[in-house]
Amino acid sequence: MRVYTGAAIRNVAVVGHGQSGKTSLVDALAFVAGTSKRHGSVKDGSALTDYTADEIERKYSISVGLAYAEWMDTKINLIDAPGYLDFLGDAIAAIYAADAALIVVSSTAGVEVGTEQAWEHAEKRGIPRLFFVSLMDKEHADFEKVYQDIKTNLTPKVLPIEIPVGAGAQFHGIANLLTKKCHMYRPGSKTGEYDEKEVPAELKEPFDRYEQDLVEAIASTDDALLERYLGGEELSSDELTTAMHAGVARGEIFPLLCGAGELTYGTRALLTALVELVPSPAERAPVEGQTWGEAQPIALASTDDEPFVAQVFKTVSEPHVGDVTFFRIYSGLVRNGAEVFNAPRGASEKLNHLSVALGKERTEVPELHAGDIGVVAKLRDTHTNDTLSTKDQQIVLTKIPFPDPVITLSVEVKQRGEEDKLNTGLQRLHEEDPTFHHEYNGELGQTLMRGRGERHLEIIVGRLARKFGVHATLGKPKIAYRETLKGKAEGQGKHKKQTGGRGQYGDCWIRVAPLPRGSGLVFDDQIVGGVIPRQYIPAVEKGIIEATTRGPVAGYPMVDFKVELFDGSYHDVDSNEMSFKMAGILAFRNVTPNARPVLLEPIVEVEAWTPEEYLGSVMGDLSSRRGQILGTEADGRMNKIRALVPEAELDRYATQLHSITHGRGTYRQKFHAYQEVPPEVAAKVVEARKKELEEAEKK
């Protein structure tokens, strides 16, 4: 294929809520442009950028998909992003790899939570945005309603540059406000062919109203145009397009288009708009980086003359291929087979079979220029969010801010012997998806998976089976309970054993008392007169420390108390370190049940964000989870709730919060402290722990 330089490249992230028609639109754009030779469908599993087994089965996007359309001597890189919040990390990656965002909004559903998230992250990134009202051929499609929804909930600067002719089954054209012509689509057209006609009489009133708003808004971004407009002079379509291009780049205008991806209606006008209105990489401000080691700031212009710097925004593992790396070039050019350098990992990488992606198909190219997006396979030490530069000029870029996990579940293999394969698979999947984390918790005896939602982790488990042959199940993570003392007690621990010959003898007396929360275990040696020889006292302490791993209430570790060793006795021949260690264990077990032991549970501080209309419901739900509400405050367009909640009550809370807030709520949590468990709750925990320990002993 043809090689493009920066001025002839457009990088567009196609984002929005799930099921809003993004993937169908990307497929149609590539097909209409002639880049793709077939028009695929999400329904039948043939969509260009939804080609993984998970996506075909579930019929929605899970990972970033790449395609491109060649139009008007320009290469438009289309980054198809998933719309559901479980896969928000990939949507953010798409936005950070792009120079503009095309926000797709369903003509029937309007602005949804995925639309809001896409808008907010594109706004944080500071990239130009366009809107596309999709699915205009569906029943109940309402362009005007969606336009007002965007205007009210996202930005008043949204401006239609075309309006639909008809809606639902009657949708058959678009009226272009700049050219003042209608594109009337030919029935049965497969690539969006149309006949250009005059605006029909029934559309004249809304057309004139929209056109006046558009021209006024564009003219107001340019003093010279505004003066001519106010003087009654008519502005040409080319002048308005040029001014709008500048306004889009500055974030003063957000154009709105419409169409139907499955029918390919509106795709030709959209391709033209992407070429004419979206800034090229060469027009964007230099990207800020740092030299590796010295950490000196450096500004990198998107030209071939600058040093080569690229960032990996996605890594996927494919059968028979291995790791496939998607990267965006921010400066310099790179040729097929070039050797580049990953400075933070100290690794040289060779870019063999340098390619561009069209869905799952990849076309090898001789070189890629500044601003382009490329694909390469089988890099050894490079993963998502890494920067590639050269060994002579080692540079790193700011990492993509992937969101933190919000849900934790345990994972367990179905067949013994697959534990090592499980860990290997989980690590590989983390390298693909930085929003997924895992760890083995030795105290709980569980492997824990953390992700953006239950659906996210279910897909991870599916990929474990498909890619690595590891069959696993998800479960509820155990809670790291603790035990402590509320009272004082004292008593003896005596270990005496005679088996013929040299025996075993150790005897100690201890006092226990509670300490403030967070104090841990304090051992106080008060032995006087040599009743226990000095060399045996550490053994007593060691025995007590070992005994604290299983407290008297439910067998959980004990914390926050003081042990005073004040008396004891020994035998000249039979005493040794092991005997006094056993004496310490026995003393602990004899004394602590008499010091009012209690169960403690971890309390986490929760910060939950919700729209105001769901504030009461979210607070009520947190209270029902034994939560203590600390306060609420406005935070942008959301309300933030702070609360202290027992960790045990937050199992699958992310799912419940999404349900209450219709997908708009988010939250994060951090450990706060341990607190005593209420008696009625403690009784249930103790009973469950008893069964758990009995089952463990049977195994």
Side-chain angles (χ1 to χ4, degrees):
M1 66 166 289
R2 176 182 162 189
V3 173
Y4 292 83
T5 56
I9 294 171
R10 305 290 184 270
N11 294 314
V12 182
V14 184
V15 294
H17 192 74
Q19 307 292 330
S20 62
K22 301 182 302 299
T23 297
S24 295
L25 181 61
V26 168
D27 190 291
L29 291 172
F31 178 65
V32 168
T35 311
S36 173
K37 302 308 176 186
R38 61 178 176 81
H39 186 193
S41 166
V42 173
K43 291 178 183 177
D44 63 19
S46 61
L48 185 63
T49 51
D50 277 4
Y51 56 84
T52 68
D54 291 322
E55 291 169 324
I56 292 171
E57 176 187 343
R58 296 171 182 264
K59 301 191 186 307
Y60 56 75
S61 298
I62 293 170
S63 302
V64 158
L66 284 184
Y68 63 91
E70 295 175 286
W71 191 256
M72 296 171 62
D73 293 323
T74 301
K75 180 189 178 193
I76 307 170
N77 287 316
L78 300 163
I79 313 172
D80 182 18
Y84 290 119
L85 294 185
D86 292 55
F87 317 110
L88 179 61
D90 271 41
I92 293 173
I95 287 169
Y96 272 75
D99 298 309
L102 177 64
I103 301 176
V104 180
V105 189
S106 166
S107 65
T108 58
V111 173
E112 300 174 87
V113 60
T115 326
E116 293 173 342
Q117 289 286 328
W119 171 264
E120 289 173 5
H121 285 287
E123 194 167 35
K124 287 178 185 176
R125 174 71 168 147
I127 59 174
R129 279 141 279 168
L130 296 83
F131 290 97
F132 186 83
V133 179
S134 64
L135 311 177
M136 281 302 305
D137 57 325
K138 302 303 179 186
E139 189 177 0
H140 307 303
D142 192 331
F143 177 85
E144 176 64 24
K145 184 178 179 181
V146 174
Y147 167 49
Q148 295 300 332
D149 198 6
I150 295 170
K151 200 171 185 179
T152 301
N153 293 301
L154 298 181
T155 174
K157 297 178 183 178
V158 59
L159 278 174
I161 61 174
E162 59 190 31
I163 59 175
V165 180
Q170 303 306 313
F171 174 59
H172 62 286
I174 58 170
N176 190 303
L177 301 175
L178 293 169
T179 64
K180 301 182 183 179
K181 298 290 184 180
C182 281
H183 297 175
M184 296 300 191
Y185 297 106
R186 299 169 188 167
S189 165
K190 294 183 178 181
T191 56
E193 292 96 345
Y194 57 84
D195 295 314
E196 191 170 88
K197 296 186 177 181
E198 298 300 320
V199 176
E202 66 271 15
L203 205 63
K204 195 77 171 93
E205 185 277 324
F207 182 93
D208 290 343
R209 172 167 44 87
Y210 278 117
E211 189 223 355
Q212 183 177 350
D213 291 345
L214 176 66
V215 175
E216 285 182 0
I218 295 174
S220 67
T221 66
D222 185 292
D223 291 341
L225 284 183
L226 183 60
E227 185 177 346
R228 290 170 55 198
Y229 174 73
L230 294 176
E233 188 176 339
E234 186 172 348
L235 305 177
S236 71
S237 173
D238 288 344
E239 288 175 319
L240 291 171
T241 299
T242 300
M244 186 159 44
H245 175 96
V248 168
R250 294 193 299 266
E252 297 173 355
I253 295 174
F254 302 103
L256 175 65
L257 301 93
C258 63
E262 288 184 354
L263 297 177
T264 70
Y265 291 0
T267 50
R268 290 173 176 266
L270 177 57
L271 287 165
T272 300
L274 294 177
V275 172
E276 294 182 340
L277 301 181
V278 170
S280 72
E283 296 175 83
R284 301 290 293 154
V287 66
E288 299 294 327
Q290 287 187 335
T291 57
W292 178 248
E294 300 87 358
Q296 294 297 313
I298 184 171
L300 299 162
S302 188
T303 69
D304 293 347
D305 299 329
E306 293 279 340
F308 170 75
V309 177
Q311 186 172 49
V312 176
F313 63 91
K314 183 66 180 178
T315 307
V316 296
S317 177
E318 293 187 358
H320 314 300
V321 177
D323 285 348
V324 177
T325 302
F326 299 170
F327 60 92
R328 158 71 190 266
I329 303 174
Y330 284 94
S331 66
L333 66 83
V334 65
R335 292 188 171 87
N336 194 10
E339 190 168 287
V340 297
F341 197 67
N342 184 331
R345 299 184 189 272
S348 291
E349 300 278 17
K350 199 159 188 178
L351 304 185
N352 290 321
H353 305 292
L354 188 66
S355 305
V356 293
L358 186 66
K360 65 180 177 181
E361 304 297 330
R362 288 182 273 280
T363 303
E364 197 166 322
V365 292
E367 61 190 29
L368 288 173
H369 292 255
D372 213 342
I373 290 175
V375 183
V376 68
K378 298 182 179 179
L379 298 187
R380 295 171 302 168
D381 298 304
T382 296
H383 307 291
T384 303
N385 237 339
D386 285 354
T387 301
L388 296 172
S389 56
T390 65
K391 203 161 190 177
D392 293 336
Q393 292 177 286
Q394 298 177 24
I395 295 169
V396 292
L397 300 177
T398 302
K399 289 184 177 293
I400 298 168
F402 287 103
D404 294 327
V406 296
I407 189 172
T408 301
L409 295 176
S410 67
V411 61
E412 184 177 350
V413 294
K414 292 181 180 179
Q415 298 179 10
R416 287 189 177 182
E418 290 191 344
E419 289 81 6
D420 290 342
K421 288 170 63 179
L422 172 68
N423 293 330
T424 300
L426 292 177
Q427 182 57 36
R428 292 284 298 279
L429 291 172
H430 168 69
E431 290 168 358
E432 288 186 25
D433 180 1
T435 66
F436 164 68
H437 297 257
H438 66 97
E439 66 172 351
Y440 178 76
N441 188 302
E443 177 188 337
L444 303 179
Q446 288 183 316
T447 297
L448 302 178
M449 292 170 47
R450 296 187 171 90
R452 295 290 302 168
E454 285 187 67
R455 176 163 39 188
H456 184 197
L457 296 184
E458 287 169 0
I459 285 170
I460 292 290
V461 168
R463 288 179 173 174
L464 278 172
R466 188 159 37 251
K467 291 185 175 184
F468 305 102
V470 180
H471 297 85
T473 57
L474 293 171
K476 184 177 180 179
K478 298 175 184 177
I479 302 299
Y481 290 102
R482 296 286 185 267
E483 298 181 24
T484 194
L485 306 175
K486 294 183 71 176
K488 299 179 180 180
E490 66 176 56
Q492 181 186 26
K494 190 172 185 178
H495 175 70
K496 184 178 181 180
K497 191 173 182 181
Q498 195 70 42
T499 57
R502 188 170 183 175
Q504 299 177 30
Y505 184 90
D507 176 30
C508 66
W509 284 78
I510 63 170
R511 297 188 186 98
V512 296
L515 289 176
R517 200 70 64 240
S519 300
L521 167 64
V522 175
F523 181 80
D524 186 11
D525 172 17
Q526 292 292 327
I527 294 297
V528 294
V531 292
I532 298 177
R534 306 308 303 173
Q535 67 267 28
Y536 297 146
I537 291 174
V540 176
E541 182 180 7
K542 185 180 292 185
I544 290 171
I545 291 173
E546 182 177 311
T548 62
T549 59
R550 292 188 68 166
V553 178
Y556 288 105
M558 291 200 66
V559 295
D560 304 335
F561 65 102
K562 178 181 180 180
V563 176
E564 181 182 302
L565 176 64
F566 67 92
D567 201 359
S569 61
Y570 71 101
H571 189 278
D572 286 334
V573 175
D574 293 345
S575 289
N576 53 38
E577 288 187 3
M578 180 56 69
S579 298
F580 273 97
K581 178 182 176 182
M582 289 301 301
I585 292 172
L586 292 172
F588 178 86
R589 291 176 178 173
N590 292 338
V591 174
T592 52
N594 302 319
R596 295 167 57 203
V598 293
L599 192 67
L600 300 176
E601 64 181 341
I603 305 296
V604 297
E605 181 178 343
V606 171
E607 290 182 326
W609 286 265
T610 174
E612 187 173 0
E613 59 263 36
Y614 308 117
L615 183 63
S617 298
V618 175
M619 291 174 64
D621 181 67
L622 287 171
S623 296
S624 73
R625 297 170 182 268
R626 298 193 283 125
Q628 175 190 351
I629 305 298
L630 301 179
T632 64
E633 61 183 82
D635 189 359
R637 295 190 299 133
M638 305 286 273
N639 283 267
K640 182 170 78 171
I641 305 166
R642 290 180 57 247
L644 297 178
V645 188
E647 184 182 329
E649 302 292 339
L650 288 174
D651 180 43
R652 289 174 167 81
Y653 177 62
T655 304
Q656 178 66 7
L657 180 62
H658 285 178
S659 176
I660 293 172
T661 62
H662 297 272
R664 285 176 161 79
T666 59
Y667 88 106
R668 67 186 179 199
Q669 67 182 57
K670 63 180 180 180
F671 174 75
H672 175 69
Y674 273 93
Q675 291 183 6
E676 184 178 346
V677 181
E680 64 277 9
V681 178
K684 296 178 182 178
V685 175
V686 170
E687 181 62 27
R689 177 65 166 174
K690 181 180 177 182
K691 291 180 180 178
E692 178 187 329
L693 293 175
E694 288 174 352
E695 290 175 1
E697 288 176 2
K698 289 178 183 178
K699 292 180 181 179

